[in-house]
Amino acid sequence: MDPHQRFCNNRSCWAYGRVGEGHIVIHSKKERRYKCKRCSQTFSATKGTALYRSHMPHDLVAAVVTLLAYGCPPQAIVAAFSLDERTIYRWQLMSGRHCQRVHEHIVQAGGVLLAQVQADELRVRVVGGVMWLASAISVTSRL
Ligand SMILES: [Zn+2]
């Protein structure tokens, strides 16, 4: 547990999003909770991640999300790990939201080194028109 890597998760706190400024301290090592010195709120180490409020082993969640990312069908994961299908969909939703927040925080804030970027486009004909999809990725950070 490193409180210097964390920031306050309370959006109304002025320390929200400020990493490494000493606002966060360890509240409980056993329960893996942090505390903000500015607003006195506590939060768990997994707050804001796909692991938040998950009682399953974190390695299992990571394995399931990785399988989903590589296109494994949820029904196969249900059969292999004996999990509920709703649990898998919730983990997928939570990890997607986490990835979206990381993307907004790092990529859209200009925190990616753009020395070398690979860009690609895709043209798809659909009924009633043509759709374009463009993507770009930084070679060094893969963001
Ligand atoms: Zn706070």
Side-chain angles (χ1 to χ4, degrees):
M1 294 180 66
D2 184 10
H4 300 291
Q5 300 290 323
R6 302 295 308 212
F7 61 86
C8 182
N9 286 301
N10 181 7
R11 289 186 183 266
S12 62
C13 177
W14 69 271
Y16 175 77
R18 296 171 159 223
V19 179
E21 296 182 5
H23 305 294
I24 305 299
V25 294
I26 294 175
H27 181 67
S28 169
K29 275 192 175 181
K30 182 182 175 191
E31 297 175 359
R32 300 186 48 81
R33 294 191 70 81
Y34 294 103
K35 181 177 182 180
C36 176
K37 292 196 294 189
R38 303 295 167 235
C39 65
S40 299
Q41 285 201 354
T42 64
F43 56 92
S44 78
T46 58
K47 175 84 174 175
T49 69
L51 303 172
Y52 183 59
R53 292 187 173 170
S54 174
H55 298 285
M56 296 291 193
H58 294 177
D59 293 341
L60 175 64
V61 177
V64 166
V65 171
T66 303
L67 287 170
L68 289 170
Y70 279 91
C72 183
Q75 292 79 17
I77 297 171
V78 167
F81 295 103
S82 300
L83 295 169
D84 192 277
E85 197 167 339
R86 293 170 295 188
T87 303
I88 293 170
Y89 285 122
R90 185 173 55 83
W91 290 348
Q92 185 180 31
L93 179 70
M94 296 300 287
S95 58
R97 286 180 180 164
H98 186 212
C99 289
Q100 183 179 8
R101 285 192 298 270
V102 168
H103 184 83
E104 289 170 356
H105 183 73
I106 296 175
V107 178
Q108 293 181 348
V112 178
L113 180 64
L114 298 176
Q116 189 175 6
V117 176
Q118 292 178 342
D120 203 357
E121 64 184 6
L122 182 66
R123 180 181 185 267
V124 179
R125 288 184 60 181
V126 295
V127 176
V130 175
M131 299 179 78
W132 287 89
L133 173 71
S135 65
I137 186 168
S138 172
V139 173
T140 53
S141 66
R142 308 304 293 167
L143 293 172

